[in-house]
Amino acid sequence: MDSVLVTGGAGGVGAWTVDALADAGREVVAVDREAPPTEERRDGVDYVAADLTDYGETRQVVDAAAPDAVVHLAAIPHPKDHAGSRVFTNNVESAYNVFDAAGAAGARIVWASSESCYGTVFAADDWLPDRLPIDEETPTQPEDPYGLSKVVGEEVAAAAARRHGVPAVSLRLSWVTFPGDERRREARETFDPATAAPSGNCWSYVDVRDVVAAVEAAIDPETAVDGHEAVLIVAAENFLGRDTAATIEAVRGELPAECDLDGDESIFDCSKAKRLLGWEPGHSWRDGAERGAERDDG
């Protein structure tokens, strides 16, 4: 694997991914709506500005880079700050354009899907699945434009894999956290089950360094998937340090009829990622990552 094109390269996850791939000696092309100022550019990385909702621009950028893999991280990341139609349209159009261009170039496809595809995070009502833990076989039931855009994006990735004969991996990420980000600590220290609002993902998260590791595993030619696969990428435990099932029941007043959770383990089962990609979470809020930033989440 020599060359990788990363969309959303100026974002939080994107910047970490660009740095890691460049550190590994890969040729990296970082694409975003605007190229960063010259003084902020990393040596050895090519920066390109493009509107990924424009198919012509997207195809030109991908064709010019001729990458071995495309990592698609660009998206409007939630439905709160934009009109729902804008979130859905932006995310789906850019996914189609990037995946079709990548497939035509014969590049492996990896992209950031989301736990929101299950309907968890932005559901209008007090949502719980029929069973816990959640895995890739759990039905996707989004109610919001962001989660819906991820479900459609996975179908677009699968279509590109079929049409072009390239592997495509949808990484279903939980809430991505960064070293130095104290939101987990603040939430943990102020948490009271009697007054806490229900958490759509039941206090799950994933460290950005584990996201990068999953991206690296998914683009590795030695970790080939057949067609399209969706895999959950989530930390092993919740960030509260509390028993997960007991906390859900205390906050929501009920549990699913089928609930098989042990201690503070996450509600998401990542065993498929281990089986297909050899990936397991390596970072926890307990390892002291909240005591000092290596990079902010930009």
Side-chain angles (χ1 to χ4, degrees), residues 8-16 32 77 178-179 181 183 295-298:
V13 177
W16 277 81
D32 218 302
F178 298 79
D181 181 349
R183 288 175 292 176
R295 170 189 293 278
D296 64 30
D297 60 359

Side-chain angles (χ1 to χ4, degrees), residues 123-153:
D125 297 322
D126 194 5
W127 180 94
L128 273 177
D130 293 332
R131 64 181 176 86
L132 289 173
I134 292 169
D135 61 20
E136 290 81 3
E137 300 304 313
T138 301
T140 55
Q141 299 175 322
E143 300 177 4
D144 67 281
Y146 176 73
L148 182 59
S149 77
K150 294 302 183 179
V151 171
V152 176

Side-chain angles (χ1 to χ4, degrees), residues 5 55 58-59 62-63 66-71 95-110 156-168:
L5 184 146
Y55 183 80
T58 305
R59 186 65 181 264
V62 174
D63 285 352
D68 297 302
V70 170
V71 179
Y96 175 83
N97 294 343
V98 170
F99 300 160
D100 190 68
R108 301 185 64 159
I109 297 168
V110 179
V156 174
R162 289 191 296 269
R163 179 177 182 181
H164 298 290
V166 298

